[in-house]
Every structure is written in structure tokens, then in C-alpha cells.
Amino acid sequence: MLIQAGIPTDLHHYSAAFHVAHAIPGTAIDARMNTDRMNAIRRLLHTPNPPA
């Protein structure tokens, strides 16, 4: 629905990850999800005109 509404949206698929896989510290999936999350936040904060 977000994409259809024109809201900038990232969609990431983490193959073989289970729900809350990022909650297990020190795993590769935790690191990857956290990196992706932080990159999204950085992009949002550096957007000159964030969507209303």
C-alpha cells in the first residue's frame, strides 16, 4: 500500500530469516538488518524535502 500511495519505500527480503531474527546479537543476519536499517535512517535524515 505504501508504494501504491507513492510513499518512498524500501523492501528487503532476508532469505531464510525468521521473525525477529535480528534479535539474536552477533549473527550475520542481525548485522545485515541493522546496517540496512541505519542506512535507511541516514537516507531519511539527508533527504532535502522529506515526503509529507
Side-chain angles (χ1 to χ4, degrees):
M1 291 179 87
L2 293 173
I3 294 171
Q4 292 172 339
I7 298 171
T9 305
D10 287 354
L11 175 65
H12 296 264
H13 175 81
Y14 301 96
S15 181
F18 54 89
H19 188 66
V20 234
H22 64 281
I24 303 172
T27 61
I29 195 70
D30 170 58
R32 199 165 125 213
M33 287 179 163
N34 283 331
T35 297
D36 290 344
R37 185 179 302 112
M38 291 307 298
N39 287 337
I41 292 169
R42 284 186 188 100
R43 284 192 310 275
L44 174 67
L45 294 175
H46 289 97
T47 302
N49 297 312

Coordinates of all heavy atoms in Angstrom, one line a residue:
M1 N 0.8 -1.2 0.0 CA 0.0 0.0 0.0 C 0.9 1.3 0.0 O 0.5 2.2 -0.6 CB -0.9 0.0 1.2 CG -2.0 -1.0 1.1 SD -3.1 -1.0 2.6 CE -4.3 0.2 2.1
L2 N 2.0 1.2 0.7 CA 2.8 2.4 0.7 C 3.3 2.8 -0.7 O 3.3 3.9 -1.1 CB 4.0 2.2 1.7 CG 3.6 2.1 3.2 CD1 4.9 1.7 4.0 CD2 3.0 3.4 3.7
I3 N 3.8 1.8 -1.4 CA 4.4 2.0 -2.7 C 3.3 2.5 -3.6 O 3.5 3.4 -4.4 CB 5.0 0.7 -3.2 CG1 6.3 0.4 -2.4 CG2 5.4 0.9 -4.7 CD1 6.9 -1.0 -2.7
Q4 N 2.1 1.9 -3.5 CA 1.0 2.3 -4.4 C 0.5 3.8 -4.1 O 0.1 4.5 -5.0 CB -0.2 1.4 -4.2 CG 0.0 0.0 -4.7 CD -1.1 -1.0 -4.3 OE1 -1.9 -0.7 -3.4 NE2 -1.2 -2.0 -5.1
A5 N 0.7 4.2 -2.9 CA 0.4 5.6 -2.5 C 1.5 6.6 -2.8 O 1.3 7.8 -2.6 CB 0.1 5.6 -1.0
G6 N 2.6 6.1 -3.4 CA 3.6 7.0 -3.8 C 4.6 7.3 -2.7 O 5.4 8.3 -2.8
I7 N 4.6 6.6 -1.6 CA 5.5 6.9 -0.5 C 6.8 6.1 -0.7 O 6.7 4.9 -1.0 CB 4.8 6.4 0.8 CG1 3.5 7.2 1.1 CG2 5.8 6.5 2.0 CD1 2.7 6.7 2.2
P8 N 7.9 6.8 -0.7 CA 9.2 6.1 -0.9 C 9.3 5.0 0.1 O 9.2 5.2 1.3 CB 10.2 7.2 -0.6 CG 9.5 8.5 -0.8 CD 8.1 8.2 -0.4
T9 N 9.6 3.8 -0.4 CA 9.6 2.6 0.4 C 10.7 1.7 0.0 O 10.9 1.5 -1.2 CB 8.2 1.9 0.3 OG1 7.2 2.8 0.6 CG2 8.2 0.7 1.2
D10 N 11.4 1.1 1.0 CA 12.4 0.1 0.7 C 11.8 -1.2 1.2 O 11.1 -1.3 2.2 CB 13.7 0.3 1.6 CG 14.5 1.4 1.1 OD1 14.2 2.0 0.1 OD2 15.5 1.8 1.8
L11 N 12.1 -2.3 0.4 CA 11.6 -3.6 0.7 C 12.8 -4.5 0.7 O 13.5 -4.6 -0.3 CB 10.6 -4.1 -0.3 CG 10.1 -5.5 -0.1 CD1 9.4 -5.7 1.2 CD2 9.2 -5.9 -1.3
H12 N 13.1 -5.2 1.8 CA 14.3 -6.1 1.9 C 13.7 -7.5 2.2 O 12.9 -7.6 3.0 CB 15.2 -5.6 3.0 CG 15.9 -4.3 2.7 ND1 17.1 -4.2 2.1 CD2 15.4 -3.1 2.9 CE1 17.4 -2.9 2.0 NE2 16.4 -2.2 2.5
H13 N 14.3 -8.4 1.5 CA 13.9 -9.8 1.7 C 15.2 -10.5 2.3 O 16.3 -10.4 1.7 CB 13.5 -10.5 0.4 CG 13.3 -12.0 0.6 ND1 12.1 -12.5 1.1 CD2 14.0 -13.0 0.3 CE1 12.2 -13.8 1.2 NE2 13.4 -14.1 0.7
Y14 N 15.1 -11.1 3.4 CA 16.2 -11.7 4.1 C 15.9 -13.2 4.0 O 15.2 -13.8 4.8 CB 16.4 -11.3 5.5 CG 16.6 -9.8 5.6 CD1 15.5 -8.9 5.9 CD2 17.9 -9.3 5.4 CE1 15.8 -7.5 6.0 CE2 18.1 -7.9 5.5 CZ 17.0 -7.0 5.8 OH 17.2 -5.7 5.8
S15 N 16.5 -13.9 3.0 CA 16.3 -15.3 2.8 C 16.6 -16.1 4.0 O 17.7 -15.9 4.6 CB 17.1 -15.7 1.6 OG 16.8 -17.1 1.3
A16 N 15.7 -17.0 4.3 CA 15.9 -18.0 5.4 C 15.9 -17.3 6.8 O 16.1 -18.0 7.8 CB 17.2 -18.8 5.3
A17 N 15.5 -16.0 6.9 CA 15.4 -15.4 8.2 C 14.0 -15.6 8.8 O 13.1 -15.7 8.1 CB 15.7 -13.9 8.1
F18 N 14.0 -15.8 10.1 CA 12.7 -16.0 10.7 C 12.3 -14.7 11.4 O 13.1 -13.8 11.6 CB 12.7 -17.1 11.7 CG 13.9 -17.0 12.7 CD1 13.7 -16.4 13.9 CD2 15.1 -17.5 12.4 CE1 14.7 -16.2 14.8 CE2 16.2 -17.4 13.3 CZ 15.9 -16.7 14.5
H19 N 11.1 -14.6 11.9 CA 10.6 -13.4 12.5 C 11.4 -13.1 13.8 O 11.7 -14.0 14.5 CB 9.1 -13.6 13.0 CG 8.5 -12.4 13.5 ND1 8.2 -11.3 12.7 CD2 8.0 -12.1 14.7 CE1 7.6 -10.4 13.5 NE2 7.5 -10.8 14.7
V20 N 11.8 -11.9 13.9 CA 12.7 -11.4 15.0 C 14.1 -12.0 15.0 O 14.8 -12.1 16.0 CB 12.1 -11.6 16.4 CG1 12.1 -10.3 17.1 CG2 10.8 -12.2 16.5
A21 N 14.6 -12.4 13.8 CA 15.9 -12.9 13.6 C 17.0 -11.9 14.0 O 18.1 -12.3 14.5 CB 16.2 -13.4 12.2
H22 N 16.6 -10.6 13.9 CA 17.6 -9.6 14.2 C 17.8 -9.4 15.7 O 18.7 -8.8 16.2 CB 17.1 -8.2 13.7 CG 15.8 -7.8 14.3 ND1 14.6 -8.3 13.9 CD2 15.5 -6.9 15.3 CE1 13.6 -7.8 14.7 NE2 14.2 -6.9 15.5
A23 N 17.0 -10.1 16.5 CA 17.1 -10.0 18.0 C 18.2 -10.9 18.5 O 18.5 -10.9 19.7 CB 15.8 -10.4 18.6
I24 N 18.9 -11.7 17.7 CA 20.0 -12.6 18.1 C 21.3 -11.9 17.8 O 21.7 -11.8 16.7 CB 19.9 -13.9 17.4 CG1 18.6 -14.6 17.7 CG2 21.1 -14.8 17.9 CD1 18.3 -15.9 16.9
P25 N 21.9 -11.2 18.9 CA 23.1 -10.4 18.6 C 24.2 -11.3 18.2 O 24.4 -12.4 18.5 CB 23.3 -9.8 20.0 CG 22.5 -10.5 21.0 CD 21.4 -11.3 20.3
G26 N 25.1 -10.6 17.3 CA 26.3 -11.2 16.9 C 26.1 -12.1 15.7 O 27.1 -12.7 15.2
T27 N 24.9 -12.2 15.1 CA 24.7 -13.1 13.9 C 24.9 -12.2 12.7 O 24.7 -11.0 12.7 CB 23.3 -13.7 14.0 OG1 22.3 -12.7 14.0 CG2 23.2 -14.6 15.2
A28 N 25.1 -12.9 11.6 CA 25.3 -12.2 10.3 C 23.9 -11.5 9.9 O 24.0 -10.4 9.4 CB 25.7 -13.1 9.2
I29 N 22.8 -12.1 10.2 CA 21.5 -11.5 9.8 C 21.3 -10.3 10.7 O 20.7 -9.3 10.2 CB 20.4 -12.5 9.9 CG1 19.1 -12.0 9.1 CG2 20.0 -12.9 11.3 CD1 19.3 -11.9 7.7
D30 N 21.6 -10.3 11.9 CA 21.5 -9.2 12.8 C 22.3 -8.0 12.3 O 21.8 -6.9 12.2 CB 22.0 -9.5 14.2 CG 22.1 -8.3 15.2 OD1 21.1 -7.6 15.3 OD2 23.2 -8.1 15.7
A31 N 23.5 -8.2 11.9 CA 24.4 -7.2 11.4 C 23.8 -6.6 10.1 O 23.8 -5.4 9.9 CB 25.8 -7.7 11.1
R32 N 23.4 -7.5 9.2 CA 22.8 -7.0 7.9 C 21.6 -6.2 8.1 O 21.4 -5.2 7.5 CB 22.5 -8.3 7.0 CG 22.4 -7.9 5.6 CD 22.5 -9.1 4.7 NE 21.3 -9.2 3.9 CZ 20.7 -10.3 3.5 NH1 21.2 -11.4 3.8 NH2 19.7 -10.2 2.7
M33 N 20.7 -6.7 8.9 CA 19.4 -5.9 9.2 C 19.7 -4.6 9.8 O 19.1 -3.6 9.4 CB 18.5 -6.8 10.0 CG 17.8 -7.9 9.3 SD 16.7 -8.8 10.4 CE 15.8 -9.8 9.3
N34 N 20.6 -4.6 10.8 CA 20.9 -3.3 11.4 C 21.6 -2.3 10.5 O 21.3 -1.1 10.5 CB 21.8 -3.5 12.7 CG 21.0 -4.0 13.8 OD1 19.8 -3.8 14.0 ND2 21.7 -4.8 14.7
T35 N 22.5 -2.8 9.6 CA 23.1 -2.0 8.6 C 22.1 -1.4 7.7 O 22.1 -0.2 7.4 CB 24.2 -2.8 7.8 OG1 25.2 -3.2 8.7 CG2 24.8 -1.9 6.7
D36 N 21.2 -2.2 7.2 CA 20.1 -1.8 6.3 C 19.2 -0.7 7.0 O 18.8 0.3 6.4 CB 19.2 -2.9 5.8 CG 20.0 -3.8 4.8 OD1 21.0 -3.4 4.3 OD2 19.5 -5.0 4.6
R37 N 18.9 -1.0 8.2 CA 18.0 -0.1 9.0 C 18.7 1.3 9.1 O 18.1 2.4 8.9 CB 17.7 -0.7 10.3 CG 16.7 0.2 11.2 CD 16.4 -0.5 12.5 NE 15.8 -1.8 12.3 CZ 16.4 -2.9 12.7 NH1 17.6 -2.9 13.3 NH2 15.8 -4.1 12.5
M38 N 20.0 1.3 9.5 CA 20.7 2.5 9.7 C 20.9 3.3 8.4 O 20.8 4.5 8.4 CB 22.1 2.2 10.4 CG 22.0 1.8 11.8 SD 21.0 2.8 12.9 CE 22.0 4.3 12.8
N39 N 21.1 2.6 7.3 CA 21.3 3.2 6.0 C 19.9 3.9 5.6 O 19.9 5.0 5.1 CB 21.7 2.2 4.9 CG 23.1 1.9 5.1 OD1 23.9 2.6 5.7 ND2 23.5 0.7 4.5
A40 N 18.8 3.3 5.9 CA 17.5 3.9 5.6 C 17.3 5.1 6.5 O 16.8 6.1 6.0 CB 16.4 2.8 5.9
I41 N 17.7 5.1 7.7 CA 17.5 6.3 8.6 C 18.4 7.4 8.1 O 18.0 8.6 8.0 CB 17.9 5.9 10.1 CG1 16.8 5.0 10.6 CG2 18.0 7.2 10.9 CD1 17.1 4.3 11.9
R42 N 19.7 7.1 7.7 CA 20.6 8.1 7.2 C 20.0 8.7 5.9 O 20.0 10.0 5.7 CB 21.9 7.5 6.9 CG 22.7 7.2 8.1 CD 24.2 6.8 7.7 NE 24.8 6.4 8.9 CZ 25.0 5.1 9.3 NH1 24.5 4.1 8.6 NH2 25.6 4.8 10.4
R43 N 19.4 7.9 5.0 CA 18.8 8.5 3.8 C 17.6 9.4 4.1 O 17.5 10.4 3.6 CB 18.3 7.3 2.9 CG 19.5 6.7 2.1 CD 18.9 5.8 1.0 NE 17.9 4.9 1.4 CZ 18.1 3.7 1.9 NH1 19.3 3.2 2.1 NH2 17.1 2.9 2.2
L44 N 16.8 9.0 5.1 CA 15.7 9.8 5.5 C 16.2 11.1 6.1 O 15.6 12.2 5.7 CB 14.9 9.0 6.6 CG 13.7 9.8 7.2 CD1 12.6 10.1 6.1 CD2 13.1 9.1 8.4
L45 N 17.2 11.1 6.9 CA 17.6 12.3 7.5 C 18.4 13.3 6.6 O 18.4 14.5 6.8 CB 18.6 12.0 8.7 CG 17.9 11.3 9.9 CD1 18.9 10.9 10.9 CD2 16.8 12.2 10.5
H46 N 18.9 12.7 5.5 CA 19.6 13.5 4.5 C 18.7 13.9 3.3 O 19.2 14.5 2.3 CB 20.8 12.8 4.0 CG 21.9 12.8 5.1 ND1 22.1 11.7 5.9 CD2 22.8 13.7 5.5 CE1 23.0 12.0 6.8 NE2 23.5 13.2 6.6
T47 N 17.4 13.5 3.3 CA 16.5 13.9 2.3 C 16.2 15.4 2.4 O 15.6 15.8 3.4 CB 15.2 13.1 2.3 OG1 15.6 11.7 2.2 CG2 14.3 13.4 1.2
P48 N 16.5 16.2 1.4 CA 16.2 17.6 1.5 C 14.7 18.0 1.7 O 14.4 18.8 2.5 CB 16.7 18.2 0.1 CG 17.3 17.1 -0.6 CD 17.0 15.8 0.1
N49 N 13.8 17.3 1.0 CA 12.4 17.6 1.2 C 11.7 16.2 1.5 O 11.1 15.6 0.6 CB 11.8 18.2 -0.1 CG 12.4 19.5 -0.4 OD1 12.5 20.4 0.5 ND2 12.9 19.7 -1.6
P50 N 11.7 15.8 2.7 CA 11.0 14.5 3.1 C 9.6 14.6 2.7 O 9.0 15.7 2.8 CB 11.2 14.4 4.6 CG 11.8 15.6 5.1 CD 12.2 16.5 3.9
P51 N 9.0 13.4 2.3 CA 7.6 13.4 2.0 C 6.7 13.8 3.2 O 7.0 13.5 4.3 CB 7.3 12.0 1.6 CG 8.5 11.2 2.0 CD 9.6 12.2 2.2
A52 N 5.6 14.5 2.9 CA 4.7 15.0 3.9 C 3.8 13.9 4.4 O 3.5 13.0 3.7 CB 3.9 16.2 3.4

